[in-house]
């Protein structure tokens, strides 16, 4: 199959997507990004939504602020109060030193929840993935599939921007299959990339997504337990022997404990995503405002790490 085999003649309007839309934008240049994402965020602000723009080459955060400032009234006031955020991709996708699908999904879900908690209608978010390499491609496609399932009936709209130069026919098919719609610039207009596959029933999507999150929660808890318990023994031995090696043991124990805290954070993120899915009927109910998730005891008895409102 060639790239052109994937296209239809339908012109897709991206500036006013309905809630729950997860769109892939295949762009050729920075002008494509500006022409598409500035109207997209303008419409989000008109709907009184929070807007998060995650930028990368060829349109980075500083320039994105400048082009949006020229088009959005009261831009600086909205930026100051947090209705608009413009971030570098390294500070969103790679903030832990590498890409984590759980962390990225948790970040998207939390932004949607927080927007509603603050009284906004929802979240308009866009991320440019020009930083993505072949090494992360498969994991990122798994993440995109998770996002597609998670936000389907939420008050979140998302556009993921992929550079055309990094996409062959195989990549175009993969990104089309992990988004509710995928579009590309052709002959001066945006056209849909069609994929002739039947959609997975939404009740099946819900069961799969929640089952995956449950497995993540159990795995995070088990791993944290298996590390924390012997770590406590090592610390006790260091205190007991108190020789020239004790400080070395304590330092190494602190570094291991930092890893355990990351596992706890992953557990908290998975729990928040699970509660989000449970509070949204992915089988077709109208999206509603979601309150802070209720108490969910950690399988290991660790303290709940919900954000205080």
């Amino acid at each position: 199959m060639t790239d052109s085999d994937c296209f239809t003649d339908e012109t897709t309007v991206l500036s006013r997507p309905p809630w729950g839309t997860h769109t892939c934008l295949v762009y050729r240049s920075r002008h494509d990004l500006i022409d598409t994402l500035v109207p997209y965020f303008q419409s989000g602000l008109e709907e009184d939504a929070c807007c998060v723009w995650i930028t990368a080459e060829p349109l980075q955060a500083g320039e994105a602020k400048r082009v949006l400032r020229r088009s959005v009234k009261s831009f600086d006031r909205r930026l100051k109060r947090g209705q608009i955020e413009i971030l570098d991709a390294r500070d969103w996708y790679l903030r832990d030193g590498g890409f984590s699908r759980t962390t990225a999904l948790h970040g998207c879900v939390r932004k949607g929840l927080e927007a509603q908690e603050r009284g906004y209608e929802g979240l308009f978010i866009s991320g440019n993935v020009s930083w993505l390499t072949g090494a992360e491609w498969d994991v990122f496609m798994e993440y995109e599939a998770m996002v597609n399932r998670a936000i389907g009936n939420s008050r979140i709209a998302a556009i993921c921007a992929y550079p055309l130069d990094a996409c062959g026919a195989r990549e175009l098919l993969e990104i089309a299959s992990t988004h509710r719609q995928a579009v590309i610039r052709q002959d001066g207009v945006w056209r849909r990339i069609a994929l002739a596959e039947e959609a997975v029933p939404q009740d099946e999507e819900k069961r799969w997504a929640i089952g995956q999150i449950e497995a993540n929660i159990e795995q995070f808890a088990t791993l944290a337990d298996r590390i924390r318990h012997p770590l406590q023994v090592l610390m006790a031995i260091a205190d007991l022997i108190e020789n020239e090696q004790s400080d070395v043991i304590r330092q190494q124990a602190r570094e291991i404990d930092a890893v355990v805290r990351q596992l706890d954070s992953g557990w908290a993120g998975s729990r928040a995503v699970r509660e989000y899915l449970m509070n949204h009927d992915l089988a077709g109910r109208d999206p509603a405002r979601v309150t802070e998730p209720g108490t969910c005891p950690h399988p290991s008895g660790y303290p709940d790490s919900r954000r205080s409102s």
Side-chain angles (χ1 to χ4, degrees), residues 3 5 34 43 46-47 67 92 112 124 133 141 180 187 191 217 226 229 245 249 265 269 273 284:
D3 292 5
D5 290 330
I34 293 171
S43 67
E46 289 170 4
E47 294 189 31
V67 298
W92 180 272
F124 274 45
T133 67
M141 288 301 101
R180 295 189 182 275
D187 299 328
R191 301 187 187 280
I217 291 173
R226 292 176 64 183
H229 292 166
Q245 300 301 322
I249 294 174
S265 176
V273 172

Side-chain angles (χ1 to χ4, degrees), residues 195-217:
L195 191 64
E197 293 183 1
E198 294 185 2
V200 177
Q202 287 190 337
D203 56 346
E204 183 178 337
E205 288 186 344
K206 181 176 180 179
R207 287 194 299 271
W208 180 92
I210 293 178
Q212 183 65 48
I213 295 300
E214 292 284 359
N216 289 348
I217 291 173

Side-chain angles (χ1 to χ4, degrees), residues 285-306:
R285 194 169 62 192
D286 290 336
R289 293 186 181 276
V290 181
T291 58
E292 183 70 25
T295 302
C296 176
H298 192 292
S300 302
Y302 299 149
D304 192 354
S305 57
R306 287 182 296 162

Side-chain angles (χ1 to χ4, degrees), residues 128-146:
N128 187 350
V129 298
S130 62
W131 55 269
L132 190 62
T133 67
E136 298 110 353
W137 181 268
D138 289 342
V139 173
F140 200 83
M141 288 301 101
E142 293 172 3
Y143 158 72
E144 291 281 43
M146 292 167 66

Side-chain angles (χ1 to χ4, degrees), residues 3 8 10 17 34 50 73 111-112 115 135 141 144 157-159 172 181 185-186 233 241 243 245 285 291 307:
D3 292 5
T8 71
E10 179 182 356
I34 293 171
C50 277
K73 295 180 180 179
K111 284 292 183 183
M141 288 301 101
E144 291 281 43
I159 292 181
L172 288 173
Q181 64 174 354
R185 189 84 158 190
Q186 187 185 38
V233 174
I241 61 176
N243 59 23
Q245 300 301 322
R285 194 169 62 192
T291 58
R307 185 185 63 83

Side-chain angles (χ1 to χ4, degrees), residues 113-171:
L113 288 170
E114 289 170 3
Q116 294 178 63
E117 289 168 358
R118 295 169 58 199
Y120 292 104
E121 290 300 313
L123 174 70
F124 274 45
I125 187 170
S126 177
N128 187 350
V129 298
S130 62
W131 55 269
L132 190 62
T133 67
E136 298 110 353
W137 181 268
D138 289 342
V139 173
F140 200 83
M141 288 301 101
E142 293 172 3
Y143 158 72
E144 291 281 43
M146 292 167 66
V147 172
N148 209 42
R149 294 179 173 94
I151 73 170
N153 244 38
S154 71
R155 298 190 74 86
I156 298 175
I159 292 181
C160 304
Y162 286 77
L164 179 61
D165 290 345
C167 298
R170 170 181 170 271
E171 287 77 18

Side-chain angles (χ1 to χ4, degrees), residues 47-293:
E47 294 189 31
D48 197 29
C50 277
C51 296
V52 176
W53 192 349
I54 305 157
T55 65
E57 288 287 357
L59 184 67
Q60 293 188 309
E63 188 177 5
K65 285 182 182 179
R66 287 193 292 273
V67 298
L68 206 54
R69 181 178 281 113
R70 291 197 294 265
S71 303
V72 172
K73 295 180 180 179
S74 305
F75 174 83
D76 290 317
R77 178 171 56 83
R78 294 176 188 269
L79 187 68
K80 184 176 181 179
R81 74 185 185 198
Q83 186 181 7
I84 301 172
E85 290 185 70
I86 301 178
L87 309 169
D88 187 274
R90 291 171 298 182
D91 298 325
W92 180 272
Y93 294 114
L94 305 172
R95 59 188 173 189
D96 295 328
F99 176 71
S100 165
R101 59 187 180 182
T102 303
T103 300
L105 181 60
H106 177 222
C108 179
V109 169
R110 288 302 309 162
K111 284 292 183 183
L113 288 170
E114 289 170 3
Q116 294 178 63
E117 289 168 358
R118 295 169 58 199
Y120 292 104
E121 290 300 313
L123 174 70
F124 274 45
I125 187 170
S126 177
N128 187 350
V129 298
S130 62
W131 55 269
L132 190 62
T133 67
E136 298 110 353
W137 181 268
D138 289 342
V139 173
F140 200 83
M141 288 301 101
E142 293 172 3
Y143 158 72
E144 291 281 43
M146 292 167 66
V147 172
N148 209 42
R149 294 179 173 94
I151 73 170
N153 244 38
S154 71
R155 298 190 74 86
I156 298 175
I159 292 181
C160 304
Y162 286 77
L164 179 61
D165 290 345
C167 298
R170 170 181 170 271
E171 287 77 18
L172 288 173
L173 288 173
E174 286 188 318
I175 58 180
S177 69
T178 54
H179 293 76
R180 295 189 182 275
Q181 64 174 354
V183 295
I184 188 170
R185 189 84 158 190
Q186 187 185 38
D187 299 328
V189 295
W190 290 108
R191 301 187 187 280
R192 188 186 301 272
I193 302 174
L195 191 64
E197 293 183 1
E198 294 185 2
V200 177
Q202 287 190 337
D203 56 346
E204 183 178 337
E205 288 186 344
K206 181 176 180 179
R207 287 194 299 271
W208 180 92
I210 293 178
Q212 183 65 48
I213 295 300
E214 292 284 359
N216 289 348
I217 291 173
E218 182 178 356
Q219 182 180 39
F220 281 126
T222 300
L223 288 174
D225 259 351
R226 292 176 64 183
I227 296 172
R228 181 171 276 122
H229 292 166
L231 186 62
Q232 291 172 345
V233 174
L234 288 176
M235 291 291 287
I237 292 173
D239 291 339
L240 182 63
I241 61 176
E242 199 59 53
N243 59 23
E244 65 276 7
Q245 300 301 322
S246 295
D247 288 341
V248 176
I249 294 174
R250 292 191 187 98
Q251 176 60 34
Q252 294 301 312
R254 283 192 290 269
E255 293 181 9
I256 296 171
D257 188 59
V259 175
V260 175
R261 287 196 297 270
Q262 289 183 356
L263 291 173
D264 282 342
S265 176
W267 168 82
S270 293
R271 186 194 69 89
V273 172
R274 185 192 66 174
E275 294 294 337
Y276 183 85
L277 293 174
M278 294 292 287
N279 286 343
H280 283 78
D281 183 358
L282 297 183
R285 194 169 62 192
D286 290 336
R289 293 186 181 276
V290 181
T291 58
E292 183 70 25

